Amino acid sequence: DSHTNDTMQLIFHVDDSLLSYGNNANGLAFKRALLDKFDGTDEGPVANLLGSKISRDATHLHISQQHYLEALLHDWDMQDCNPAKTPLEPGTRLLIADRPDTPDPVKRHKYQQIVGSIQWAAQWTRPDLVFSANELARHCCNPGDKHMAACYRVLRYIRGTTSLGITYTRDLPDANRLLMFGDADWASDTEKRRSIAAFVGILNGGAVTWKSLTGPRVACSTTEAEYVAGSRASDEALWLRRTLSDINVAQKTATPLYTDNRAVRMMSENPVYKERTKHIDYRAHALRERVADEVVRLIDCPTSDMLADPLTKQLPAPAHARHTTVMLGLAPPTAPSAPTTFPPRTVIKT
């Protein structure tokens, strides 16, 4: 019921189900009717789901995979290793040239097991592991000694951060308002010269979506790489806005999309043909349409405040820690505050 905000969401995963509801009486009645029709048990407020632990108090909800990560370390005899401050050494690039000429099936199987386990955590509760997990996964077919050493380096980082998870906070000043961050590292793949694009979405103080991906083709400029990253972020923002609307958390204004490239913001707001940007793929210009439709609005953001930055490269420990604490809901974003209502767009025509 959109008028009373009396909503329910029932989510299934194999034999596990999760029910969310706004009205306690209606929620309990629905559970009784469901259990009368199907075999199952009511285990009360959710505390564990798909290997994750969920805890809450009056103002916070915290989700983590501490037990899963501790088991992962134990499986590979890394429970007593020395912790590392970052998943990979800053500036690390794992190369195809470092793969051995002859694959080692035993090493490959071990490597794939570890990388798969790291990827699960990176997708579920640990956005700080995404870049390193992707770097490792590129070499699952034939890892070498350098790739295996990097794999153990990530385990050392996990050793010092097993308790980390995502914390969401209620009654924030911008409660239920989606914030998006999009970034790219131009031509950072030194072998194929592809760029790495990434985005992070923040809702109620913590990350709700994140992704890091290598571009399908070579970008001819930093602006093109950043523009494509912004377009990908706007894709995600559009989908999230629809999903939030379905559960009665409609976004009343354009979603702030932070970028640390001013040219990207200017291009998105002003549909003017420019000689220097004619090489940008038409597909990326979906960003311009979404700005015009007031789905997103780009906001200039210093690189030091760009939450998507650690998803495009391995940063030094202080910067990595600063961004990680924000993504995990342990500190507020330091990017410029988005206005509650955006002023009308100004289009410059030449």
Side-chain angles (χ1 to χ4, degrees):
D1 186 339
S2 60
H3 298 290
T4 63
N5 198 31
D6 185 8
T7 61
M8 291 187 195
Q9 293 85 38
L10 181 62
I11 303 170
F12 284 96
H13 182 86
V14 191
D15 59 348
D16 289 330
S17 60
L18 186 65
L19 177 65
S20 172
Y21 48 86
N23 183 288
N24 192 56
N26 290 347
L28 294 176
F30 179 83
K31 284 197 291 184
R32 286 194 297 267
L34 187 68
L35 294 176
D36 286 343
K37 189 173 183 62
F38 301 100
D39 291 335
T41 58
D42 179 5
E43 298 184 1
V46 61
N48 296 282
L49 181 68
L50 302 179
S52 63
K53 181 180 179 181
I54 300 171
S55 57
R56 62 177 64 79
D57 59 27
T59 56
H60 302 93
L61 185 145
H62 180 73
I63 178 171
S64 72
Q65 292 173 281
Q66 182 172 355
H67 296 313
Y68 169 81
L69 293 173
E70 289 175 348
L72 170 62
L73 294 173
H74 186 270
D75 288 343
W76 301 106
D77 198 25
M78 294 289 286
Q79 67 273 18
D80 297 320
C81 66
N82 293 324
K85 293 185 178 180
T86 59
L88 296 174
E89 287 283 353
T92 295
R93 300 298 304 182
L94 301 179
L95 305 177
I96 296 175
D98 294 328
R99 297 176 184 176
D101 296 331
T102 303
D104 182 340
V106 175
K107 179 183 291 184
R108 178 173 59 196
H109 181 65
K110 180 179 181 179
Y111 184 87
Q112 290 173 345
Q113 285 183 299
I114 299 175
V115 172
S117 299
I118 294 172
Q119 283 187 309
W120 173 245
Q123 293 173 1
W124 192 234
T125 63
R126 296 293 300 271
D128 55 318
L129 295 173
V130 168
F131 175 77
S132 55
N134 287 355
E135 281 291 288
L136 295 172
R138 293 172 59 228
H139 305 282
C140 278
C141 62
N142 184 20
D145 291 339
K146 289 185 178 180
H147 307 113
M148 186 61 73
C151 201
Y152 278 105
R153 162 80 184 208
V154 177
L155 292 181
R156 288 178 53 213
Y157 172 74
I158 292 174
R159 172 64 182 85
T161 60
T162 54
S163 62
L164 288 184
I166 305 177
T167 300
Y168 302 101
T169 305
R170 66 183 305 174
D171 299 330
L172 291 172
D174 58 348
N176 293 331
R177 191 181 193 194
L178 178 65
L179 306 176
M180 295 297 300
F181 294 78
D183 194 27
D185 192 18
W186 179 49
S188 57
D189 183 340
T190 56
E191 293 178 307
K192 296 184 178 180
R193 305 312 297 180
R194 304 283 177 82
S195 304
I196 296 179
F199 60 76
V200 178
I202 301 292
L203 187 70
N204 290 330
V208 292
T209 185
W210 54 86
K211 190 170 186 177
S212 175
L213 66 161
T214 302
R217 60 184 62 86
V218 175
C220 297
S221 66
T222 301
T223 297
E224 180 182 0
E226 297 275 4
Y227 199 89
V228 171
S231 181
R232 298 286 186 183
S234 74
D235 290 346
E236 189 75 1
L238 180 62
W239 177 79
L240 281 171
R241 286 170 65 91
R242 290 172 176 170
T243 301
L244 291 169
S245 180
D246 288 342
I247 59 174
N248 289 338
V249 191
Q251 303 296 290
K252 298 179 181 179
T253 60
T255 295
L257 172 52
Y258 292 94
T259 176
D260 58 4
N261 187 301
R262 181 166 296 181
V264 173
R265 178 182 59 78
M266 296 175 65
M267 288 170 55
S268 72
E269 294 179 351
N270 299 288
V272 178
Y273 174 84
K274 294 185 181 295
E275 185 69 21
R276 294 181 180 179
T277 59
K278 66 180 183 180
H279 62 280
I280 296 179
D281 192 339
Y282 286 109
R283 182 249 174 264
H285 287 293
L287 175 61
R288 182 177 294 165
E289 292 186 357
R290 287 168 186 154
V291 170
D293 293 340
E294 296 187 351
V295 173
V296 298
R297 181 70 69 87
L298 272 71
I299 298 177
D300 293 332
C301 171
T303 299
S304 59
D305 296 332
M306 173 49 65
L307 287 189
D309 202 26
L311 277 67
T312 66
K313 64 180 75 70
Q314 183 53 64
L315 299 173
H320 176 83
R322 182 174 65 251
H323 290 309
T324 294
T325 56
V326 177
M327 286 191 292
L328 299 184
L330 303 177
T334 53
S337 298
T340 303
T341 303
F342 286 99
R345 291 193 315 124
T346 56
V347 178
I348 302 173
K349 296 183 178 180
T350 58

